[in-house]
Amino acid sequence: MSDDDGSTRPRLRHSVLGDPVAFAEHVCARLQAEVPAYRGIAAASLVPSISSAIDRLITATAEDRPLDGPALAQFREYGALRAELGVPLDGMLRGWQIAVRELMRRIGASHYWAAQPGSALLAMLGALLRASDAATVAFSSGHREAEAQITRRLDTRRDDTVRALAEGTLPTGELRRRAQLIGLRLDGAYAAFRAITAEPEQTEWDLRQRPGFRPPRGVVAILDGDVVGVCDPRDHVRPAAGVFLGIGPECPLERVPHSLHVAGRVAETARLFGRPGRHTLTDLGVLPAVVGDSDVGAALMLRYITPVDDAEAGSILSTVDTYLAAGLNASETGNRLYLHHNTVRYRLSRFEELTGASLKDPHVAQQVWWALRYRELDSGPAVP
């Protein structure tokens, strides 16, 4: 049977804490010295909550009772406050260990408790640890709930900012304010991007792992099914297979809407031509213009594609396309297509005969190339 009848416990607060505020200030100083997450947080933002938490812990220990509903709710609020202050849960747990150990150290150094029976001291320490365990569960729960709410707020704020950048409708001052709220540098240089992908959530997660796509150098969001945002122009990411990533021109924050418009054109062009990977406007040359000007494409199709006989269209047009890509070199065209040079010359002559156009004319060659690319959009790559 324990020798402790509880009569010694009311002395706990006075014998251990002395001045409760001074004790809380001492704990706060240790937290800021030993836990990096607490550095930079004003003591005035920490001391009151530390004092209240210790007081609740001492009260439960002195009365040797479980923490009641109001006390548990207060500890959940304690955890939520730490989350709002930016202290991660592991830092908070480390800080709580410091506070409890400081209490136990003072108990061990107390003349009052040194004079009490060993059973009384052990019983009191057991009550302290039980209350501490219950408090840990409560404030951890409160921290996680608050952290989830913070994440939801940040996600909403981030998505709203990216949408505003895409629409380009906000005044400069408001755009800068929103960008600052999500951690972007106001004086930074950015490149907007758009990724067309069958798995936007996975692509979003992949890009967020790169420093160049996270604040302060970038931001990633899912917008209308695509992954969009801004990034560090120097981050030459290689997206996963099947992702069409368009990168806009480098620009200051105020020009991001234009950069994002260009990035969207690049990504869509890459998708339509079946070219996954990272692309800029320069990489794709005039292909975005082929996509964007259907009137020109249709007219050139009518001029250079329609006259070719349907039965021969596949082989003739494939040979012409390769001939243009080979720099108008018939021998190289034959090598690339594994054709005899006479077959190559026949097909080229047949094309010129049917269309009345000379492929030696650079202007004609450009128009034919454009017509072939427009045909590729309409029907997919031709088969040799």
Side-chain angles (χ1 to χ4, degrees):
M1 183 181 227
S2 171
D3 294 333
D4 177 35
D5 60 4
S7 61
T8 59
R9 301 221 184 135
R11 298 289 305 273
L12 181 62
R13 180 177 284 100
H14 175 73
S15 61
V16 173
L17 294 185
D19 181 352
V21 174
F23 180 79
E25 290 173 342
H26 172 73
V27 170
C28 179
R30 285 198 58 188
L31 298 186
Q32 293 179 323
E34 301 176 36
V35 184
Y38 281 97
R39 294 169 191 164
I41 302 177
S45 299
L46 298 171
V47 170
S49 58
I50 294 174
S51 180
S52 296
I54 295 299
D55 182 73
R56 288 189 292 272
L57 186 65
I58 290 295
T59 297
T61 301
E63 297 175 1
D64 193 13
R65 59 169 175 76
L67 295 174
D68 57 17
L72 291 173
Q74 289 174 329
F75 273 109
R76 284 192 290 271
E77 291 176 5
Y78 178 76
L81 175 61
R82 291 297 179 269
E84 293 287 350
L85 290 173
V87 179
L89 184 55
D90 59 346
M92 185 180 183
L93 291 170
R94 171 65 182 140
W96 186 251
Q97 287 180 337
I98 290 173
V100 173
R101 287 176 181 173
E102 183 64 22
L103 273 174
M104 297 178 71
R105 186 191 69 79
R106 291 204 174 189
I107 290 171
S110 167
H111 295 297
Y112 174 81
W113 287 100
Q116 303 304 314
S119 58
L121 179 60
L122 289 175
M124 186 272 300
L125 290 176
L128 173 65
L129 293 177
R130 287 191 295 274
S132 175
D133 288 345
T136 300
V137 172
F139 69 62
S140 297
S141 174
H143 189 285
R144 292 190 184 96
E145 291 173 3
E147 203 168 42
Q149 291 176 357
I150 292 169
T151 298
R152 286 192 292 271
R153 290 201 303 268
L154 290 175
D155 286 347
T156 300
R157 188 180 297 166
R158 178 202 65 213
D159 293 349
D160 288 347
T161 300
V162 172
R163 184 175 295 278
L165 288 170
E167 295 173 351
T169 56
L170 288 180
T172 299
E174 176 63 14
L175 182 62
R176 291 173 66 85
R177 186 188 71 82
R178 292 195 185 188
Q180 194 169 30
L181 285 175
I182 62 173
L184 293 178
R185 296 173 301 180
L186 298 183
D187 59 347
Y190 298 99
F193 69 87
R194 181 179 291 269
I196 300 175
T197 169
E199 299 180 334
E201 290 82 7
Q202 182 63 46
T203 300
E204 179 190 35
W205 189 90
D206 289 343
L207 292 178
R208 285 185 180 176
Q209 307 316 300
R210 300 185 64 87
F213 285 75
R214 298 196 302 264
R217 290 187 280 172
V219 61
V220 183
I222 296 177
L223 184 62
D224 299 329
D226 292 341
V227 182
V228 300
V230 297
C231 65
D232 187 332
R234 297 166 296 181
D235 191 320
H236 296 284
V237 59
R238 292 185 179 181
V243 177
F244 304 92
L245 177 63
I247 304 293
E250 182 175 335
C251 63
L253 188 64
E254 292 76 9
R255 294 287 294 164
V256 164
H258 170 71
S259 182
L260 191 54
H261 171 72
V262 174
R265 289 190 64 191
V266 172
E268 180 63 10
T269 299
R271 183 188 70 82
L272 290 171
F273 282 100
R275 300 186 181 187
R278 180 188 188 276
H279 302 282
T280 64
L281 196 59
T282 303
D283 296 333
L284 297 180
V286 297
L287 289 180
V290 175
V291 173
D293 200 330
S294 59
D295 291 337
V296 172
L300 295 177
M301 278 272 291
L302 184 64
R303 172 68 182 84
Y304 295 107
I305 305 300
T306 302
V308 180
D309 182 69
D310 289 344
E312 299 179 278
S315 60
I316 290 177
L317 294 177
S318 174
T319 302
V320 170
D321 200 8
T322 305
Y323 178 66
L324 295 175
L328 308 184
N329 186 314
S331 297
E332 176 62 19
T333 301
N335 292 335
R336 294 187 184 187
L337 294 178
Y338 302 101
L339 294 175
H340 192 275
H341 68 275
N342 287 337
T343 302
V344 172
R345 295 187 183 281
Y346 165 77
R347 292 180 179 178
L348 297 177
S349 297
R350 184 62 176 157
F351 176 83
E352 292 181 335
E353 176 187 344
L354 292 170
T355 62
S358 172
L359 291 171
K360 295 295 185 181
D361 183 334
H363 185 59
V364 169
Q366 291 173 357
Q367 294 182 64
V368 172
W369 180 89
W370 190 298
L372 289 167
R373 300 288 72 76
Y374 192 77
R375 176 177 179 266
E376 184 180 338
L377 288 178
D378 186 57
S379 60
V383 178

